[in-house]
Amino acid sequence: RAPLFRPEKVICVGMNYVDHCTEQNMPVPVEPVIFSKFASAIVDPNADVELPPETEELDFEVELAFVIGRGGRRIQEEDAMSHVAGFTVAHDVSARDWQLRKNG
């Protein structure tokens, strides 16, 4: 079973390091690229990764996931870590053709 289950939301930061931008042939963004994923995207760490027939460019990468344990708003930088419950490794899987060429 996944170490996280039924999260309220999954918020992601994309294109967050230069090497990744370079490998994707994308410019380094001036501001963070924020997007979300459905909570149902979190699966058992031993589950198979399915290759859907709708994509020809399934891509994967390892991510560092922050688990937020305490809510807040307009949190000061020096207080941010007091809201973090922990960290885990995440295996992010994306359909790059849908993401980059099909508004996805």
Side-chain angles (χ1 to χ4, degrees):
R1 167 167 146 164
L4 303 172
F5 53 95
R6 288 180 290 204
E8 183 179 323
K9 55 187 110 174
V10 178
I11 301 171
C12 308
V13 180
M15 309 308 283
N16 55 340
Y17 59 98
V18 174
D19 287 351
H20 183 56
C21 296
T22 302
E23 85 179 11
Q24 296 297 322
N25 274 339
M26 300 291 284
V28 177
V30 175
E31 295 184 357
V33 176
I34 306 295
F35 63 98
S36 61
K37 290 199 175 219
F38 290 105
S40 61
I42 298 174
V43 298
D44 183 297
N46 296 310
D48 291 335
V49 174
E50 295 181 31
L51 176 58
E54 296 83 9
T55 182
E56 295 179 6
E57 294 180 33
L58 198 66
D59 193 21
F60 59 91
E61 53 195 325
V62 174
E63 301 285 359
L64 173 63
F66 287 69
V67 180
I68 306 301
R70 186 169 67 129
R73 208 172 226 209
R74 297 180 182 87
I75 300 165
Q76 298 298 310
E77 183 176 353
E78 60 270 14
D79 299 326
M81 292 305 291
S82 70
H83 293 262
V84 176
F87 306 92
T88 189
V89 175
H91 182 193
D92 183 29
V93 180
S94 300
R96 294 288 184 217
D97 46 354
W98 280 75
Q99 176 189 16
L100 300 174
R101 289 185 290 287
K102 296 184 181 185
N103 290 325

